[in-house]
Amino acid sequence: MTDLIEKLEYFLADRGIYMLALILFAIGVYGMIVCSNYMKKIMCMNMMQVAIIFFFLTFGQKNGATIPVALGDIFSADAYINPVPHALMLTAIVVSLGITGVGLALLMRIKDIYGTIEEKEITGKGGKSK
């Protein structure tokens, strides 16, 4: 039994961060499919974006590595963290904020035109909810 607990602790310590990103992404996908409120869909979409950004940032890390700036006599590429995933995810954060802003602006227009943000009432599938 203790061997199983040790294996589980090792797995969570070694791969747990990736499992967290997978769980966040799965919750986002589930919410996009199940929720009929457009505001909730935007929130689930943001959760999926955060999970992807989180995955790429943790994927770019190395144990024992330092920032990619020439410090002293370290000249091996193995001693540095790869800066490309971090730069790409900085761009992804900016794009995510832009997408959220446009989505909220469209949501405000939908609310003005239809008087609701419920998908079933706007599309006419499912009737009026009370």
mmCIF file of all heavy atoms in Angstrom, residues 10-33:
data_model
loop_
_atom_site.group_PDB
_atom_site.id
_atom_site.type_symbol
_atom_site.label_atom_id
_atom_site.label_comp_id
_atom_site.label_asym_id
_atom_site.label_seq_id
_atom_site.Cartn_x
_atom_site.Cartn_y
_atom_site.Cartn_z
ATOM 1 N N TYR A 10 4.931 10.437 -6.463
ATOM 2 C CA TYR A 10 5.932 10.714 -7.498
ATOM 3 C C TYR A 10 5.252 11.171 -8.778
ATOM 4 O O TYR A 10 5.698 12.118 -9.423
ATOM 5 C CB TYR A 10 6.787 9.468 -7.765
ATOM 6 C CG TYR A 10 7.773 9.677 -8.881
ATOM 7 C CD1 TYR A 10 8.923 10.426 -8.684
ATOM 8 C CD2 TYR A 10 7.540 9.139 -10.140
ATOM 9 C CE1 TYR A 10 9.826 10.630 -9.700
ATOM 10 C CE2 TYR A 10 8.436 9.335 -11.172
ATOM 11 C CZ TYR A 10 9.574 10.077 -10.948
ATOM 12 O OH TYR A 10 10.458 10.288 -11.961
ATOM 13 N N PHE A 11 4.149 10.513 -9.154
ATOM 14 C CA PHE A 11 3.430 10.886 -10.374
ATOM 15 C C PHE A 11 2.883 12.302 -10.265
ATOM 16 O O PHE A 11 3.002 13.101 -11.196
ATOM 17 C CB PHE A 11 2.288 9.903 -10.645
ATOM 18 C CG PHE A 11 1.456 10.278 -11.834
ATOM 19 C CD1 PHE A 11 1.923 10.049 -13.111
ATOM 20 C CD2 PHE A 11 0.209 10.865 -11.666
ATOM 21 C CE1 PHE A 11 1.166 10.393 -14.208
ATOM 22 C CE2 PHE A 11 -0.557 11.212 -12.753
ATOM 23 C CZ PHE A 11 -0.073 10.980 -14.035
ATOM 24 N N LEU A 12 2.276 12.643 -9.122
ATOM 25 C CA LEU A 12 1.717 13.978 -8.954
ATOM 26 C C LEU A 12 2.805 15.043 -8.898
ATOM 27 O O LEU A 12 2.622 16.152 -9.397
ATOM 28 C CB LEU A 12 0.842 14.033 -7.702
ATOM 29 C CG LEU A 12 -0.476 13.277 -7.796
ATOM 30 C CD1 LEU A 12 -1.209 13.333 -6.464
ATOM 31 C CD2 LEU A 12 -1.347 13.821 -8.909
ATOM 32 N N ALA A 13 3.933 14.713 -8.294
ATOM 33 C CA ALA A 13 5.032 15.673 -8.234
ATOM 34 C C ALA A 13 5.667 15.849 -9.604
ATOM 35 O O ALA A 13 6.088 16.952 -9.968
ATOM 36 C CB ALA A 13 6.079 15.212 -7.225
ATOM 37 N N ASP A 14 5.722 14.779 -10.379
ATOM 38 C CA ASP A 14 6.382 14.829 -11.673
ATOM 39 C C ASP A 14 5.437 15.306 -12.775
ATOM 40 O O ASP A 14 5.816 16.110 -13.622
ATOM 41 C CB ASP A 14 6.932 13.438 -12.014
ATOM 42 C CG ASP A 14 7.857 13.484 -13.204
ATOM 43 O OD1 ASP A 14 8.619 14.457 -13.316
ATOM 44 O OD2 ASP A 14 7.818 12.536 -14.001
ATOM 45 N N ARG A 15 4.218 14.828 -12.801
ATOM 46 C CA ARG A 15 3.286 15.113 -13.892
ATOM 47 C C ARG A 15 2.016 15.833 -13.441
ATOM 48 O O ARG A 15 1.138 16.083 -14.239
ATOM 49 C CB ARG A 15 2.858 13.811 -14.567
ATOM 50 C CG ARG A 15 3.987 12.948 -15.027
ATOM 51 C CD ARG A 15 4.263 13.178 -16.485
ATOM 52 N NE ARG A 15 5.142 12.161 -16.990
ATOM 53 C CZ ARG A 15 6.408 12.377 -17.277
ATOM 54 N NH1 ARG A 15 6.927 13.555 -17.071
ATOM 55 N NH2 ARG A 15 7.156 11.430 -17.764
ATOM 56 N N GLY A 16 1.907 16.177 -12.184
ATOM 57 C CA GLY A 16 0.692 16.774 -11.656
ATOM 58 C C GLY A 16 0.352 18.116 -12.276
ATOM 59 O O GLY A 16 -0.818 18.449 -12.465
ATOM 60 N N ILE A 17 1.368 18.888 -12.609
ATOM 61 C CA ILE A 17 1.130 20.200 -13.186
ATOM 62 C C ILE A 17 0.471 20.076 -14.558
ATOM 63 O O ILE A 17 -0.377 20.881 -14.933
ATOM 64 C CB ILE A 17 2.450 20.997 -13.240
ATOM 65 C CG1 ILE A 17 2.182 22.490 -13.312
ATOM 66 C CG2 ILE A 17 3.336 20.559 -14.336
ATOM 67 C CD1 ILE A 17 1.938 23.100 -11.990
ATOM 68 N N TYR A 18 0.840 19.022 -15.305
ATOM 69 C CA TYR A 18 0.211 18.786 -16.609
ATOM 70 C C TYR A 18 -1.224 18.287 -16.439
ATOM 71 O O TYR A 18 -2.104 18.613 -17.249
ATOM 72 C CB TYR A 18 1.021 17.790 -17.428
ATOM 73 C CG TYR A 18 2.433 18.259 -17.679
ATOM 74 C CD1 TYR A 18 3.514 17.590 -17.127
ATOM 75 C CD2 TYR A 18 2.676 19.379 -18.450
ATOM 76 C CE1 TYR A 18 4.807 18.024 -17.351
ATOM 77 C CE2 TYR A 18 3.963 19.830 -18.672
ATOM 78 C CZ TYR A 18 5.019 19.151 -18.128
ATOM 79 O OH TYR A 18 6.288 19.589 -18.341
ATOM 80 N N MET A 19 -1.451 17.513 -15.396
ATOM 81 C CA MET A 19 -2.806 17.047 -15.128
ATOM 82 C C MET A 19 -3.712 18.227 -14.755
ATOM 83 O O MET A 19 -4.879 18.257 -15.148
ATOM 84 C CB MET A 19 -2.806 16.007 -14.001
ATOM 85 C CG MET A 19 -2.063 14.734 -14.341
ATOM 86 S SD MET A 19 -2.678 13.902 -15.800
ATOM 87 C CE MET A 19 -4.277 13.399 -15.233
ATOM 88 N N LEU A 20 -3.182 19.203 -14.037
ATOM 89 C CA LEU A 20 -3.953 20.387 -13.699
ATOM 90 C C LEU A 20 -4.356 21.151 -14.959
ATOM 91 O O LEU A 20 -5.510 21.573 -15.097
ATOM 92 C CB LEU A 20 -3.161 21.291 -12.759
ATOM 93 C CG LEU A 20 -3.824 22.603 -12.365
ATOM 94 C CD1 LEU A 20 -5.114 22.347 -11.604
ATOM 95 C CD2 LEU A 20 -2.873 23.447 -11.555
ATOM 96 N N ALA A 21 -3.431 21.304 -15.888
ATOM 97 C CA ALA A 21 -3.749 21.980 -17.153
ATOM 98 C C ALA A 21 -4.793 21.190 -17.929
ATOM 99 O O ALA A 21 -5.715 21.777 -18.516
ATOM 100 C CB ALA A 21 -2.480 22.158 -17.985
ATOM 101 N N LEU A 22 -4.688 19.873 -17.928
ATOM 102 C CA LEU A 22 -5.668 19.041 -18.627
ATOM 103 C C LEU A 22 -7.050 19.151 -17.983
ATOM 104 O O LEU A 22 -8.064 19.246 -18.694
ATOM 105 C CB LEU A 22 -5.207 17.577 -18.635
ATOM 106 C CG LEU A 22 -6.118 16.585 -19.330
ATOM 107 C CD1 LEU A 22 -6.128 16.841 -20.833
ATOM 108 C CD2 LEU A 22 -5.677 15.175 -19.034
ATOM 109 N N ILE A 23 -7.106 19.177 -16.662
ATOM 110 C CA ILE A 23 -8.385 19.302 -15.965
ATOM 111 C C ILE A 23 -9.016 20.662 -16.248
ATOM 112 O O ILE A 23 -10.220 20.756 -16.510
ATOM 113 C CB ILE A 23 -8.199 19.065 -14.451
ATOM 114 C CG1 ILE A 23 -7.889 17.590 -14.192
ATOM 115 C CG2 ILE A 23 -9.425 19.496 -13.668
ATOM 116 C CD1 ILE A 23 -7.416 17.296 -12.789
ATOM 117 N N LEU A 24 -8.216 21.731 -16.219
ATOM 118 C CA LEU A 24 -8.747 23.055 -16.540
ATOM 119 C C LEU A 24 -9.296 23.114 -17.960
ATOM 120 O O LEU A 24 -10.365 23.674 -18.205
ATOM 121 C CB LEU A 24 -7.660 24.118 -16.368
ATOM 122 C CG LEU A 24 -7.357 24.591 -14.971
ATOM 123 C CD1 LEU A 24 -6.153 25.521 -14.990
ATOM 124 C CD2 LEU A 24 -8.545 25.298 -14.381
ATOM 125 N N PHE A 25 -8.567 22.518 -18.900
ATOM 126 C CA PHE A 25 -9.016 22.514 -20.286
ATOM 127 C C PHE A 25 -10.302 21.700 -20.434
ATOM 128 O O PHE A 25 -11.224 22.109 -21.140
ATOM 129 C CB PHE A 25 -7.917 21.950 -21.196
ATOM 130 C CG PHE A 25 -8.232 22.104 -22.661
ATOM 131 C CD1 PHE A 25 -8.012 23.311 -23.291
ATOM 132 C CD2 PHE A 25 -8.733 21.051 -23.393
ATOM 133 C CE1 PHE A 25 -8.299 23.472 -24.631
ATOM 134 C CE2 PHE A 25 -9.026 21.191 -24.734
ATOM 135 C CZ PHE A 25 -8.807 22.409 -25.356
ATOM 136 N N ALA A 26 -10.372 20.562 -19.750
ATOM 137 C CA ALA A 26 -11.574 19.719 -19.836
ATOM 138 C C ALA A 26 -12.788 20.426 -19.244
ATOM 139 O O ALA A 26 -13.896 20.326 -19.786
ATOM 140 C CB ALA A 26 -11.330 18.385 -19.122
ATOM 141 N N ILE A 27 -12.608 21.156 -18.151
ATOM 142 C CA ILE A 27 -13.716 21.916 -17.574
ATOM 143 C C ILE A 27 -14.188 22.983 -18.550
ATOM 144 O O ILE A 27 -15.387 23.213 -18.710
ATOM 145 C CB ILE A 27 -13.299 22.532 -16.220
ATOM 146 C CG1 ILE A 27 -13.122 21.438 -15.175
ATOM 147 C CG2 ILE A 27 -14.326 23.554 -15.741
ATOM 148 C CD1 ILE A 27 -12.504 21.933 -13.883
ATOM 149 N N GLY A 28 -13.244 23.632 -19.225
ATOM 150 C CA GLY A 28 -13.608 24.639 -20.221
ATOM 151 C C GLY A 28 -14.383 24.058 -21.380
ATOM 152 O O GLY A 28 -15.385 24.628 -21.829
ATOM 153 N N VAL A 29 -13.938 22.914 -21.900
ATOM 154 C CA VAL A 29 -14.649 22.265 -23.009
ATOM 155 C C VAL A 29 -16.039 21.828 -22.562
ATOM 156 O O VAL A 29 -17.027 22.034 -23.284
ATOM 157 C CB VAL A 29 -13.840 21.055 -23.538
ATOM 158 C CG1 VAL A 29 -14.664 20.224 -24.506
ATOM 159 C CG2 VAL A 29 -12.566 21.529 -24.208
ATOM 160 N N TYR A 30 -16.143 21.258 -21.387
ATOM 161 C CA TYR A 30 -17.434 20.827 -20.850
ATOM 162 C C TYR A 30 -18.385 22.018 -20.724
ATOM 163 O O TYR A 30 -19.557 21.939 -21.097
ATOM 164 C CB TYR A 30 -17.240 20.150 -19.493
ATOM 165 C CG TYR A 30 -18.531 19.760 -18.819
ATOM 166 C CD1 TYR A 30 -19.238 18.642 -19.231
ATOM 167 C CD2 TYR A 30 -19.050 20.515 -17.777
ATOM 168 C CE1 TYR A 30 -20.430 18.282 -18.617
ATOM 169 C CE2 TYR A 30 -20.231 20.167 -17.157
ATOM 170 C CZ TYR A 30 -20.919 19.046 -17.583
ATOM 171 O OH TYR A 30 -22.095 18.705 -16.981
ATOM 172 N N GLY A 31 -17.886 23.127 -20.220
ATOM 173 C CA GLY A 31 -18.708 24.317 -20.070
ATOM 174 C C GLY A 31 -19.158 24.882 -21.403
ATOM 175 O O GLY A 31 -20.292 25.351 -21.543
ATOM 176 N N MET A 32 -18.272 24.848 -22.403
ATOM 177 C CA MET A 32 -18.649 25.340 -23.737
ATOM 178 C C MET A 32 -19.762 24.491 -24.333
ATOM 179 O O MET A 32 -20.626 25.003 -25.040
ATOM 180 C CB MET A 32 -17.437 25.339 -24.673
ATOM 181 C CG MET A 32 -16.408 26.376 -24.363
ATOM 182 S SD MET A 32 -16.882 28.035 -24.796
ATOM 183 C CE MET A 32 -16.813 27.980 -26.558
ATOM 184 N N ILE A 33 -19.756 23.201 -24.063
ATOM 185 C CA ILE A 33 -20.772 22.307 -24.622
ATOM 186 C C ILE A 33 -22.077 22.409 -23.848
ATOM 187 O O ILE A 33 -23.158 22.480 -24.432
ATOM 188 C CB ILE A 33 -20.249 20.855 -24.619
ATOM 189 C CG1 ILE A 33 -19.085 20.718 -25.604
ATOM 190 C CG2 ILE A 33 -21.364 19.871 -24.974
ATOM 191 C CD1 ILE A 33 -18.350 19.403 -25.502
#
